[in-house]
Structures are given as C-alpha cells and as structure tokens.
C-alpha cells in the first residue's frame, strides 16, 4: 500500500487544558497536540471485541493471507472502547515523529488529557474503567502473521507490555492519580515507526457506537479517498472484517439501522441485494440472494476540495464494485 500523504496537524476542538495539580510532573508526553491517528492494520482488521462489557471468548480472523488470533485474559479480551487508549498512545507517538523528536516505547501521560481527547468525563467511574482497560490491554494475547516494520513475529504479544498508574496522596490519605505510564508492544511500535501507515481519524469517532466505529475504520483503511468513489464487498466478508461475532442475519439487521442515516463520518453505507441464483436441484429451496455492502466517500468540505482535486486519479471506476467483491 502506498504511504498516505502527510498533512500538517489540525488543531483539535477538544480542550488541551492541563489540570494545575498535574503541572509538577516532568517528562510527560501529554497533552496531545494535533489529531487522533491510527495504524492502518488496526483500522482494517478486527483486533478488538465489539463489546462494552467483558468479552470472555477468543476472537479470530482468517481471510486470505491474513491471520489473527486474540485470546482473553482473566478480565476478557480488550474491547473497542479499550482501543481508545491505544489510539491515544499511537497519536502521541505519531505527533512526536512528525515533530522530529526521538521516540521510544514508553509513554507517560495524564488521565485528564486522555479523557479530554476521548470525551470521557472525569468521574471516579471513568478512572475505574481506565484501570480495567489497562489490565485488559496488558492481559489480552494477540497472534498475527501481519508483518510490522519489515519483521514478522511468531507467538503471542500484548498491546501493552507494562501499564502503571502513578498516584500521590493528600494529607487525609486520599489517592490522586498523577500520571499513566505504559510501554507499547514491539509489533505496534515498529509498525508506526517504520511503516508510517498512520491515518487520521474523524473528530466524531469517539461519539460512535461499537459497530459504527468499526465500519468507519474499515472504510477509512480500505475504502476510497476520493469523493464519489465506491468500495464494494459482500456482506459476509464485511461481517468478518468488522469483527461481528453474531450470525449474518443479525449483522444485516444491525447494518440496516446504519444505512441512510449519515452516522458514519465521511462515508455513506448502502446494502444492495442482487438476484437470487436460479434453482438447480429439484426439491431444494432457492438460495438467498447475495447482498453487497457499498461504501461511498462523501463530498469533501470546501477547504479540502482543492487538495483532493490535485490528488484525484483519472476516471475509470466502472466495474470497480464487482471487482472488489471478487477480490475480497
């Protein structure tokens, strides 16, 4: 895949104010300056469970040359909401690389800034969820044949090889969280540092539900970048790529609730039902008609039109939908 063109970081609409009580910390990587970024493979493939609560079953994906196995810890598989922390760390790392700074695998940041970026409130419940998420990210075991930074790995790894919460204590003995310290796994560190396949996320991503998040990520990683162009894939292949664990009929129902709503940032989603195949065997019912998912890039905002026009390839997209389905 070609490396996406780099763009200057846009100012985020999220407040970057740092709590005065945390200003005495040194060597912090927060606050995040710029936009949320994600590594392309983590966008394209289902590494996280589509759940709000603990998901205790293994997650697997085996399609074409790509193989992924995810095993739960005692607290379950890392979820799509736990992934917010991984995206935040990846964004800190990408911002440092873009600024020409040296970057290692250890990151130290404030929960205050993480919550500001992801839109979480500052309640005690949010801090408990943060602690649980860090445990799942450290405990979940991943095995994949996707290479990162020109290297492959055999065996399992975790998203975070270390995760710590640093507290101070008030005079009355109350704990006050000062910083979060993590060590990013070798696999993802190499992918971001060497491959540079890092894409920006829409600012409304954290407001989406689990399925909508995955639809957006797959569209962003695999779909068209030019307004009006389409990406087409059969329903079952799309279900697997999204990481939806329930039957295909349930996925179709869930997808119908998304189509036509404009809920997916930058993309429109449509379900198209083809003709049912002719009956070939006496006494057997007709096979179900094939269903395809068509994802179309929406028209760009006015300030982006000029940039995209300069990058637009020549026309010639007839038959692209059918070809995408055959090659999926």
């Amino acid at each position: 895949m070609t490396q996406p063109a780099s763009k200057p970081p846009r100012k985020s609409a999220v407040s970057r104010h740092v709590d005065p009580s945390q200003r005495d910390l040194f060597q912090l990587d927060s606050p995040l300056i710029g936009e949320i970024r994600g590594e392309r493979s983590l966008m394209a493939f289902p590494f996280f469970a589509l759940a709000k609560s603990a998901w205790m079953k293994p997650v697997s994906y085996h399609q074409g040359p790509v193989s992924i196995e995810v095993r739960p810890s005692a607290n379950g598989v890392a979820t799509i909401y736990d992934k917010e922390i991984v995206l935040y760390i990846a964004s800190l790392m990408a911002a440092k690389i873009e600024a020409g700074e040296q970057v290692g695998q250890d990151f130290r940041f404030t929960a205050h800034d993480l919550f500001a970026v992801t839109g979480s409130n500052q309640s005690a419940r949010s801090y408990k969820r943060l602690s649980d998420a860090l445990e799942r990210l450290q405990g979940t075991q991943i095995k994949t044949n996707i290479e990162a930074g020109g290297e492959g790995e055999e065996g399992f790894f975790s998203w975070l090889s270390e995760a710590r919460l640093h507290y101070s204590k008030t005079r009355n003995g109350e704990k006050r969280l000062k910083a979060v310290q993590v060590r990013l796994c070798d696999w993802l560190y190499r992918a971001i540092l060497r491959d540079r396949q890092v894409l920006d996320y829409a600012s409304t991503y954290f407001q989406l539900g689990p399925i909508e998040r995955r639809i957006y990520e797959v569209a962003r990683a695999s779909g068209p970048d030019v307004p009006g162009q389409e990406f087409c894939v059969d329903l079952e292949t799309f279900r697997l790529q999204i990481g939806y664990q329930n039957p295909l009929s349930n996925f179709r129902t869930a997808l119908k609730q998304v189509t036509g709503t404009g809920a997916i940032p930058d993309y429109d989603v449509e379900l198209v039902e083809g003709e049912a195949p002719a009956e070939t065997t006496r006494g057997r019912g007709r096979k179900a008609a094939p269903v395809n998912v068509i994802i179309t890039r929406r028209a760009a905002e006015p300030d982006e039109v000029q940039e995209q026009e300069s990058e637009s390839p020549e026309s010639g997209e007839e038959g692209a939908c059918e070809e995408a389905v055959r090659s999926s």
Side-chain angles (χ1 to χ4, degrees), residues 215 230-239 242 248-261 268-274 289-296 321:
I215 293 173
E230 297 178 346
F231 167 75
C232 186
V233 62
D234 69 89
L235 186 64
E236 173 61 11
T237 299
F238 194 59
R239 181 185 76 88
I242 293 296
L248 185 64
S249 59
N250 293 24
F251 180 61
R252 183 175 180 178
T253 300
L255 210 54
K256 279 186 175 180
Q257 297 175 357
V258 175
T259 58
T261 64
D268 291 320
V269 182
E270 183 182 3
L271 286 177
V272 177
E273 188 170 314
V291 180
N292 295 325
V293 181
I294 298 179
I295 297 176
T296 307
C321 179

Side-chain angles (χ1 to χ4, degrees), residues 127 131 165-169 174-179:
Y127 285 95
S131 179
L165 298 175
H166 291 273
Y167 291 92
S168 63
K169 280 192 175 182
E174 276 188 359
K175 287 183 177 180
R176 294 290 176 88
L177 181 59
K178 297 185 68 175

Side-chain angles (χ1 to χ4, degrees), residues 80-88 114 118 120 206 213:
I80 192 71
Y81 291 96
D82 302 336
K83 186 178 184 178
E84 293 178 356
I85 300 173
V86 176
L87 293 178
Y88 177 79
L114 170 65
T118 60
S120 300
F206 295 119
R213 290 187 183 198

Side-chain angles (χ1 to χ4, degrees), residues 35-276:
E35 54 202 355
I36 284 292
R37 312 283 182 86
E39 200 278 328
R40 186 185 289 269
S41 293
L42 262 64
M43 280 182 156
F45 301 110
F47 284 95
F48 296 83
L50 294 181
K52 290 185 177 180
S53 55
W55 182 268
M56 304 307 297
K57 299 178 182 179
V59 175
S60 63
Y61 176 87
H62 303 281
Q63 287 290 303
V66 178
S67 174
I68 299 170
E69 295 179 37
V70 184
R71 293 180 180 176
S73 66
N75 297 317
V77 170
T79 72
I80 192 71
Y81 291 96
D82 302 336
K83 186 178 184 178
E84 293 178 356
I85 300 173
V86 176
L87 293 178
Y88 177 79
I89 297 168
S91 302
L92 290 174
M93 182 172 175
K96 293 179 76 172
I97 292 173
E98 193 171 67
E101 300 178 21
Q102 292 292 323
V103 59
Q105 289 175 252
D106 294 310
F107 294 87
R108 185 182 174 99
F109 53 89
T110 63
H112 177 88
D113 190 57
L114 170 65
F115 293 157
V117 170
T118 60
S120 300
N121 57 42
Q122 306 287 323
S123 67
R125 189 175 179 182
S126 294
Y127 285 95
K128 178 62 167 63
R129 284 200 299 263
L130 171 60
S131 179
D132 293 343
L134 290 171
E135 285 190 24
R136 282 189 294 269
L137 290 170
Q138 190 174 10
T140 297
Q141 297 288 296
I142 307 100
K143 183 179 182 180
T144 181
N145 64 355
I146 299 175
E147 296 181 353
E151 298 181 26
E153 289 188 14
E154 293 187 1
F156 288 83
F157 62 88
S158 299
W159 297 118
L160 304 177
S161 57
E162 292 183 18
R164 301 177 184 178
L165 298 175
H166 291 273
Y167 291 92
S168 63
K169 280 192 175 182
T170 62
R171 291 182 179 180
N172 60 5
E174 276 188 359
K175 287 183 177 180
R176 294 290 176 88
L177 181 59
K178 297 185 68 175
V180 182
Q181 184 169 334
V182 300
R183 170 164 288 190
L184 192 61
C185 66
D186 294 344
W187 183 85
L188 186 53
Y189 174 75
R190 289 199 312 270
I192 297 172
L193 183 65
R194 300 180 190 174
D195 296 336
R196 305 292 177 94
Q197 292 292 313
V198 177
L199 301 175
D200 59 286
Y201 273 66
S203 59
T204 56
Y205 170 81
F206 295 119
Q207 301 171 20
L208 303 176
I211 294 176
E212 288 84 356
R213 290 187 183 198
R214 283 298 298 140
I215 293 173
Y216 170 76
E217 288 183 317
V218 172
R220 184 73 180 91
S222 307
D225 290 327
V226 178
Q229 286 189 345
E230 297 178 346
F231 167 75
C232 186
V233 62
D234 69 89
L235 186 64
E236 173 61 11
T237 299
F238 194 59
R239 181 185 76 88
L240 295 174
Q241 195 168 2
I242 293 296
Y244 193 85
Q245 299 296 309
N246 292 325
L248 185 64
S249 59
N250 293 24
F251 180 61
R252 183 175 180 178
T253 300
L255 210 54
K256 279 186 175 180
Q257 297 175 357
V258 175
T259 58
T261 64
I264 310 302
D266 304 326
Y267 298 92
D268 291 320
V269 182
E270 183 182 3
L271 286 177
V272 177
E273 188 170 314
E275 294 184 4

